[in-house]
Amino acid sequence: MSFTVALNFADGASSFIQVKPGELLLDAALRQGISLPLDCREGVCGTCQGQCESGRYEQDYVDDEALSPRDLAERKVLACQTRVQSDASFYFDHAASLCHAAGPLRVSARVLAVEQVSASTAILHLCAGQHPQPLQYLPGQYARLKVPGSEQWRAYSFANLPNPGNRLQFLIRLLPDGAMSNYLRDGCQPGQLIELEAPMGSFYLREVRRPLVLVAGGTGLSAFLGMLDAMAERGGCGQPVRLFYGVNQEDDLCEQARLEGYKARIPGFDYTPVVSRPGDAWRGRAGYIPDHLDAQALAAQAFDMYLCGPPPMIEAVRGWLAGQALAEHQLYSEKFLQSGR
Ligand code: FES
């Protein structure tokens, strides 16, 4: 006996799979050649997230940073933790093509430099030049990096576009005591090798059909730098693009010149830094990002919103959106854990 489960994707494609009683949805899909995006397999990272449209299921462990109570009430699921109890259908908010790729590649990349770009942030520059082809990923996706000298892996969003020389950038938050942070501060030297697995995740820039609102918390900016590079290369995206960039203190802000530069390269681009705990000299926006979203403008015109940052920021913005009467919109989000990006 098995259950018939439909997997529906954002591009309109559907696949049907058979799921054995007690089998994890992710495993059943993989067994039938559909590699849903995944990372931790432990119910923590949220990468394998989907939404149940019909049918019964139960989930094993679901970390509250992967799915909030609101997500659970909306029948969002983690494919790596879901066991169906009837025929069912699930929606995955990304293109089906993301599941049919060969899966992530594991390569070694050489450290080119560690560039400290704010009090709390570094850009790690790597070169995976020995890999014969350009590493393929979509702007907004991430890689897992193995911390040299340890068995620990950390996830970081690409901060630049794929390129023939495989020169890769990652924005990394420097924690007072974190495995990657300690390595970057104390042990990292140009020329060292770092193992890397990519591409990961289902957060990427979809075709732009209406105004974009991008919301970055801290090093969540990394994912947007790749997306903005893509728009800049094409001379814009034909729609206004508004980026809100939230940090704790003003000296956490980074890549300001690069963000300013996008204004000239992406027609209709603007960005707003928001500092939650500013010093006396700060003259810009203070507080949290929802304090600065324009409900009137967002009620007047349909829009797409992309959120990338720590779970409390994502939940604060989603809570704000739920309390407003807004025009039609689509929300895409990527939460990351504090130990990671
Ligand atoms: Fe991380 Fe499923 S792969 S929550």
Side-chain angles (χ1 to χ4, degrees):
M1 172 200 166
S2 62
F3 301 114
T4 300
V5 172
L7 305 177
N8 301 318
F9 298 95
D11 55 358
S14 291
S15 296
F16 289 89
I17 57 169
Q18 297 300 311
V19 184
K20 298 176 194 157
E23 190 177 25
L24 290 167
L25 184 59
L26 187 83
D27 289 341
L30 273 174
R31 189 165 56 72
Q32 287 155 87
I34 300 173
S35 48
L36 293 166
L38 65 93
D39 186 344
C40 70
R41 277 181 161 273
E42 290 177 357
V44 175
C45 72
T47 301
C48 62
Q49 183 183 141
Q51 187 164 25
C52 183
E53 297 172 317
S54 67
R56 287 180 288 112
Y57 61 92
E58 58 183 18
Q59 299 199 71
D60 297 351
Y61 176 72
V62 174
D63 194 279
D64 57 7
E65 295 211 328
L67 292 182
S68 66
R70 186 202 318 267
D71 292 325
L72 293 171
E74 291 172 357
R75 292 171 58 85
K76 297 221 171 120
V77 298
L78 301 174
C80 72
Q81 303 296 314
T82 297
R83 302 176 200 271
V84 295
Q85 297 168 317
S86 70
D87 292 348
S89 87
F90 292 88
Y91 175 73
F92 292 89
D93 199 12
H94 54 75
S97 55
L98 227 59
C99 304
H100 297 290
L105 276 179
R106 192 179 280 200
V107 299
S108 284
R110 204 166 285 286
V111 174
L112 296 175
V114 179
E115 181 189 3
Q116 179 133 11
V117 287
S118 82
S120 58
T121 318
I123 295 183
L124 176 61
H125 296 262
L126 299 179
C127 177
Q130 64 273 48
H131 186 66
Q133 283 97 32
L135 214 53
Q136 294 299 330
Y137 55 90
L138 296 167
Q141 284 192 296
Y142 66 93
R144 295 173 75 232
L145 272 58
K146 187 164 182 242
V147 181
S150 83
E151 289 306 312
Q152 302 196 52
W153 290 80
R154 294 287 185 266
Y156 301 105
S157 301
F158 288 98
N160 65 337
L161 293 177
N163 57 85
N166 276 338
R167 288 174 171 256
L168 311 173
Q169 296 178 16
F170 301 95
L171 217 56
I172 296 181
R173 179 169 175 231
L174 296 171
L175 298 165
D177 186 21
M180 184 62 89
S181 305
N182 293 346
Y183 165 71
L184 293 181
R185 258 191 306 263
D186 307 329
C188 184
Q189 296 292 334
Q192 287 175 342
L193 290 175
I194 295 187
E195 259 188 90
L196 168 156
E197 209 175 62
M200 311 289 289
S202 54
F203 186 72
Y204 62 94
L205 182 65
R206 272 69 171 178
E207 191 183 342
V208 182
R209 294 208 183 103
R210 45 197 194 187
L212 292 182
V213 182
L214 313 178
V215 178
T219 48
L221 182 68
S222 200
F224 294 122
L225 292 173
M227 294 186 187
L228 290 164
D229 277 357
M231 291 180 219
E233 258 193 11
R234 294 195 290 259
C237 64
Q239 297 286 348
V241 183
R242 184 83 192 266
L243 168 70
F244 292 87
Y245 172 26
V247 294
N248 291 329
Q249 292 168 320
E250 54 266 49
D251 62 4
D252 294 324
L253 290 167
C254 69
E255 294 296 85
Q256 298 291 286
R258 186 165 168 186
L259 292 172
E260 275 298 323
Y262 292 131
K263 289 184 182 171
R265 301 173 66 207
I266 304 172
F269 173 73
D270 200 6
Y271 81 100
T272 305
V274 180
V275 181
S276 61
R277 296 198 305 272
D280 294 341
W282 176 247
R283 295 286 168 265
R285 306 280 185 103
Y288 294 95
I289 288 173
D291 306 335
H292 301 283
L293 294 171
D294 183 343
Q296 258 187 339
L298 297 179
Q301 193 177 13
F303 62 96
D304 290 327
M305 183 178 276
Y306 289 72
L307 306 172
C308 187
M313 183 212 81
I314 306 268
E315 286 309 311
V317 175
R318 289 183 63 195
W320 182 87
L321 292 170
Q324 311 291 323
L326 300 175
E328 187 191 336
H329 59 280
Q330 186 69 44
L331 197 61
Y332 304 100
S333 63
E334 177 87 305
K335 289 177 186 173
F336 56 73
L337 307 180
Q338 295 299 343
S339 63
R341 286 165 275 177

